[in-house]
Amino acid sequence: MDRFWSAVVAWCDESGVELESSESLRVVEHPGLRSIMWPSCRSLADGRRVGLSNVVLYEKAVGVAMAGFGHHPTA
């Protein structure tokens, strides 16, 4: 799973997709909202975050899905 998230970050950097600041994750105090947001994002050491919207962009561009959560087009 870590390799997948790392690949998404690398693709975003190479493709010019701007990642948001992870600061907005740290300020969420509501437990219910935090329980939704935290598992759907990864905070990076440089202060940015990568999220599921970035994953969807990556999956569409590269064709590699996140195990168990991949984007599956509907017919």
Side-chain angles (χ1 to χ4, degrees):
M1 188 60 75
D2 287 335
R3 279 191 303 225
F4 179 83
W5 282 99
S6 295
V8 173
V9 171
W11 177 84
C12 287
D13 289 344
E14 293 166 5
S15 301
V17 175
E18 191 170 329
L19 298 177
E20 294 183 39
S21 169
S22 62
E23 183 61 30
S24 60
L25 291 175
R26 289 190 277 275
V27 298
V28 175
E29 295 182 16
H30 188 278
L33 184 55
R34 185 180 291 176
S35 70
I36 294 169
M37 290 183 68
W38 279 80
S40 67
C41 298
R42 292 277 173 113
S43 293
L44 306 175
D46 64 6
R48 300 179 299 160
R49 76 172 184 206
V50 62
L52 292 179
S53 61
N54 304 113
V55 168
V56 171
L57 291 173
Y58 172 79
E59 289 178 350
K60 288 175 133 182
V62 178
V64 176
M66 177 189 279
F69 295 100
H71 171 75
H72 303 285
T74 56

